[in-house]
Amino acid sequence: ATELDALRYFLDTEARMAKKKWIADATKKKGGWHRALHVPEGEKIPASKVAAAAKKGGKVGREARLAQTLSHLRGK
């Protein structure tokens, strides 16, 4: 039973670590956000464009809301 408990603990820990690093998978395709908002890569995306996109549905709206959330996490 001890080995089985150790295995369960290990698998549970791995699952939690995978959940912690979800943002790395969410930002894989670089430049797609700029293309969707028609802003050249290398330029900063205006907050007004992000706010307008956040009101839309689908993938663009979801990504815009994520961008707004992540902007609040960054230390200033």
Side-chain angles (χ1 to χ4, degrees):
T2 309
E3 291 177 15
L4 185 59
D5 289 336
L7 180 61
R8 283 186 185 141
Y9 177 78
F10 174 75
L11 293 176
D12 186 45
T13 304
E14 288 294 312
R16 278 188 275 133
M17 289 305 292
K19 288 179 187 176
K20 274 187 171 181
K21 297 181 180 183
W22 66 271
I23 195 64
D25 291 330
T27 58
K28 285 282 186 197
K29 294 186 179 178
K30 304 297 179 191
W33 185 227
H34 282 267
R35 286 189 296 275
L37 295 181
H38 306 290
V39 176
E41 287 188 49
E43 288 185 18
K44 187 174 178 182
I45 299 174
S48 60
K49 280 200 174 200
V50 175
K55 294 178 183 177
K56 295 181 181 177
K59 186 176 182 179
V60 172
R62 190 169 58 240
E63 288 175 342
R65 288 184 290 277
L66 176 63
Q68 286 177 329
T69 301
L70 293 178
S71 72
H72 296 294
L73 295 178
R74 183 176 35 225
K76 296 192 178 192

